[in-house]
Amino acid sequence: MKGLVVKVIRGVIIVLAQLPLKFHYFMGDIFSWLAGSVVRYRSGLVMMNISRSFPELKYRQIKDIYRKFYRHLGEIVAEAIWFGGSSYDRIRKSGIVTLTNAKEISEVFDSTPSMTVLCTHCGNWEILGGFLGYRTLNDEKLTIPESAISVVYKKLTNEISDRVFALNRVNPLEEVGTKCEVESHNILRFSIKHKGERRMYIYPTDQAPYWGAGRHPIGLFMNQETTAMMGSAGVACKMSHSVMYAKMKHVGRGKYEMTFIPICLDASKMTPEEIMRKYYDLLQEEIMETPYNWLWSHNRWKW
C-alpha cells in the first residue's frame, strides 16, 4: 500500500514538473507569502536564529533577511517540484546551476582514493542530485561517473515521505541523479567494503546532531556555541579521502553558482575536529555573503 502511495505522489510530481519553471515560481511566491506572513511557519525560530547570528543588525535589517529567506524558501519548493520531473538535458538547458570549477573537482577526484563532499542547506539542496547535469564554466568537463557517487542520508521516520523525498532528490527522471544511497549508520561499513573503489561520498552536514550521533563542540559558529557530528570527517580521516566543501551561491531567481572548495587533499593528515572547524568557517563565510540563503527555519542550536 505504501509503495502505491509513493508511486501516486511521484506521478503527480512528474506531471506537475512538466509545467514551465516560471509557473512554479509563481506558485512558490504564493507559498512563501503563506508560510512567512499567514501561517508564519516557524517564524519565531527564524527570527531568533537570525537575531542571535547577527546581533549587530538593526530590527529592519533582520526583517529584511527574514523576508528574503521566506521568498527563497518558496523558490526552493518550486525548483524541487520542477526538478522532480527533469532530465539532465532539461537541467542543463535551463542553466539553473553553473558548476564553476568542474576541472578542479575532476582532478582532485582522480588523484585521491575517494572524495568526501560536505554539503549545506544553502542554495537549493533539493536539486543537488542532478549536479552531473549542471552547466560548467567554460564548458569544462566533469569526468566523475554517476555510478561512483554515494549520497549519505538519515532515513526519515515517515516511510512514505522518506521514499518520495529520496526519489525526488536523487533520481527525478530517466538517468538523472545519483544511483547509490547509503544510510548514515552504515557509511563506515560501506566505505570499508568499497575501499578499493574511487568514490564520491556526499554528506548533508550542517544540521543539528541527532541524539545518538555524538554532539562534539566545535566552538563559535554564527556567534553561537555549536556542536557537530563527526561521522563524515571521521570516515574521511580513516580512509584518507580528499574533503571538499560544496558552496551553492544564490545569484538570482533560477540561478545558482556551485563551487567545490578544497578543505584537504588527505584527511588522514587532519583530525575530524580540524576538518569540521574548517567546514563551519567556510559555511559562515557563505552565510555572511548571502544571509537569506541558509535554512534559518532549522533548529540548528537545540540543546
Side-chain angles (χ1 to χ4, degrees):
M1 183 62 182
K2 291 180 180 178
L4 177 61
V5 174
V6 170
K7 288 181 179 179
V8 170
I9 295 174
R10 281 289 299 137
V12 171
I13 290 174
I14 289 173
V15 170
L16 289 174
Q18 305 316 306
L19 295 168
L21 189 51
K22 286 183 178 180
F23 168 82
H24 292 292
Y25 281 136
F26 172 74
M27 299 304 295
D29 286 341
I30 295 175
F31 172 87
S32 64
W33 172 70
L34 290 172
S37 301
V38 180
V39 179
R40 298 184 65 81
Y41 169 71
R42 295 195 174 186
S43 60
L45 178 61
V46 172
M47 285 294 289
M48 181 178 69
N49 283 340
I50 297 173
S51 299
R52 289 179 175 177
S53 298
F54 298 98
E56 74 283 2
L57 295 185
K58 296 180 180 179
Y59 179 73
R60 60 178 176 79
Q61 294 172 305
I62 292 171
K63 283 291 289 185
D64 184 58
I65 297 173
Y66 173 96
R67 179 183 57 81
K68 289 178 178 177
F69 161 72
Y70 278 103
R71 183 175 189 270
H72 183 49
L73 186 63
E75 293 176 345
I76 290 170
V77 174
E79 291 160 356
I81 294 173
W82 172 87
F83 175 78
S86 294
S87 64
Y88 275 148
D89 186 57
R90 190 186 193 203
I91 292 169
R92 188 174 294 110
K93 285 181 178 177
S94 74
I96 191 169
V97 183
T98 298
L99 194 60
T100 66
N101 61 335
K103 183 179 179 181
E104 180 183 15
I105 296 168
S106 297
E107 288 174 349
V108 172
F109 179 80
D110 290 337
S111 63
T112 57
S114 281
M115 178 187 288
T116 289
V117 179
L118 304 181
C119 297
T120 79
H121 285 87
C122 289
N124 191 344
W125 56 95
E126 295 292 342
I127 63 175
L128 282 175
F131 88 93
L132 292 179
Y134 295 162
R135 286 184 184 176
T136 59
L137 202 62
N138 301 320
D139 293 323
E140 293 178 349
K141 300 298 181 184
L142 189 65
T143 59
I144 301 169
E146 187 172 41
S147 59
I149 300 174
S150 298
V151 175
V152 184
Y153 77 104
K154 184 179 184 297
K155 191 172 183 179
L156 299 176
T157 304
N158 185 289
E159 188 175 339
I160 292 175
S161 297
D162 178 71
R163 292 315 305 155
V164 169
F165 278 110
L167 288 170
N168 203 72
R169 287 171 177 168
V170 302
N171 189 24
L173 191 65
E174 299 173 2
E175 80 282 13
V176 177
T178 53
K179 293 298 189 290
C180 181
E181 302 169 76
V182 185
E183 287 194 60
S184 54
H185 68 273
N186 287 326
I187 185 57
L188 180 58
R189 186 182 303 114
F190 182 91
S191 300
I192 293 172
K193 180 179 178 180
H194 296 272
K195 186 177 180 180
E197 305 173 14
R198 183 175 286 114
R199 303 192 64 81
M200 174 185 282
Y201 295 93
I202 301 177
Y203 296 80
T205 317
D206 59 342
Q207 61 268 70
Y210 47 88
W211 299 111
R215 303 164 71 85
H216 301 270
I218 52 102
L220 285 178
F221 162 64
M222 296 307 295
N223 199 51
Q224 297 170 80
E225 292 291 341
T226 300
T227 59
M229 293 181 288
M230 294 291 168
S232 56
V235 173
C237 289
K238 284 182 172 65
M239 301 296 173
S240 300
H241 291 182
S242 54
V243 182
M244 306 285 270
Y245 171 87
K247 178 180 179 180
M248 197 172 189
K249 182 179 179 181
H250 184 251
V251 294
R253 172 158 285 189
K255 297 293 178 184
Y256 298 93
E257 290 180 353
M258 191 171 189
T259 306
F260 281 23
I261 302 173
I263 291 178
C264 62
L265 297 180
D266 182 355
S268 67
K269 296 180 180 179
M270 297 178 72
T271 66
E273 290 77 12
E274 289 171 334
I275 290 172
M276 294 311 297
R277 183 63 260 177
K278 179 62 176 176
Y279 165 83
Y280 277 101
D281 287 344
L282 288 168
L283 174 57
Q284 181 164 305
E285 287 179 15
E286 183 172 4
I287 294 170
M288 297 297 285
E289 188 177 339
T290 48
Y292 64 87
N293 194 39
W294 195 48
L295 186 63
W296 292 105
S297 57
H298 182 65
N299 193 3
R300 178 62 187 80
W301 290 281
K302 59 186 175 185
W303 293 88

